[in-house]
Amino acid sequence: MALKPTIYKFTIALSDMNRHIFQTLNVTLAQHPSENIERMMMRVLAYCLNVDTDPNKKLDCRN
């Protein structure tokens, strides 16, 4: 039987003064059973660093 992913929900207050981005992000993230917590947090950091500068655009990391 396969292990199920662990679901985490984050509320992130993002303030990037260089790009003038001030947003509150609600992020739901699934941690794969073989993924360690450090790698998952790096994915959260990468997502925050690549947020689009358009505040009216819906944030969605799915392709």
Side-chain angles (χ1 to χ4, degrees), residues 4-19:
K4 296 190 186 252
T6 305
I7 305 298
Y8 290 93
K9 293 189 180 216
F10 297 94
T11 300
I12 300 169
L14 182 64
S15 298
D16 187 342
M17 297 178 76
N18 293 328
R19 296 189 297 163

Side-chain angles (χ1 to χ4, degrees), residues 33-56:
S34 66
E35 181 179 34
N36 60 19
I37 195 77
E38 290 85 5
R39 184 178 188 285
M40 186 192 69
M41 292 308 295
M42 289 304 293
R43 289 196 296 136
V44 172
L45 178 61
Y47 180 75
C48 290
L49 291 174
N50 290 298
V51 167
D52 196 1
T53 57
D54 184 7
N56 297 322

